[in-house]
Amino acid sequence: MSVKAITFGAIALGLGAVLTNGMAALRADRITAAFPPVGEFVSVTGGRVHYVQAGQGPDVILLHGAGGNLRDFTFSLMDQLTGRYRVTAFDRPGMGYTD
């Protein structure tokens, strides 16, 4: 392979990475605008944690599985529990709106 071919390949890869990163940021902005956070944030070591809290009584913590977010619980489960419990649902680190 010639130096020109290697240089061209490196430039093409670099431009592709910049374009991919820009498109991902644009998609993330559109998703955030369409689905804004539904809860509050608390600052902890390492960033912010997104949570929703409702109800009164003994505490119940809802923590979603991999690939989910706290919205999974806000469709009906939280409403079923908040009459008897203070329910807190969290977005796990790196998921939903938690850093």
Side-chain angles (χ1 to χ4, degrees):
M1 251 186 171
S2 71
V3 174
K4 276 186 174 181
I6 292 172
T7 302
F8 178 75
I11 290 170
L13 283 173
L15 289 174
V18 168
L19 181 60
T20 299
N21 189 40
M23 293 302 293
L26 180 61
R27 282 193 307 270
D29 289 345
R30 286 180 179 167
I31 290 168
T32 300
F35 302 99
V38 294
E40 305 294 324
F41 290 89
V42 62
S43 294
V44 298
T45 302
R48 297 184 323 157
V49 175
H50 180 224
Y51 72 96
V52 171
Q53 189 173 68
Q56 292 183 333
D59 288 301
V60 172
I61 304 296
L62 301 176
L63 196 58
H64 62 81
N69 62 55
L70 67 77
R71 282 185 189 262
D72 296 344
F73 301 120
T74 61
F75 297 118
S76 68
L77 182 59
M78 282 191 73
D79 290 340
Q80 294 173 28
L81 297 172
T82 55
R84 296 179 299 178
Y85 304 100
R86 179 171 66 171
V87 181
T88 308
F90 290 98
D91 272 335
R92 291 174 50 199
M95 308 297 277
Y97 289 98
T98 293
D99 294 338

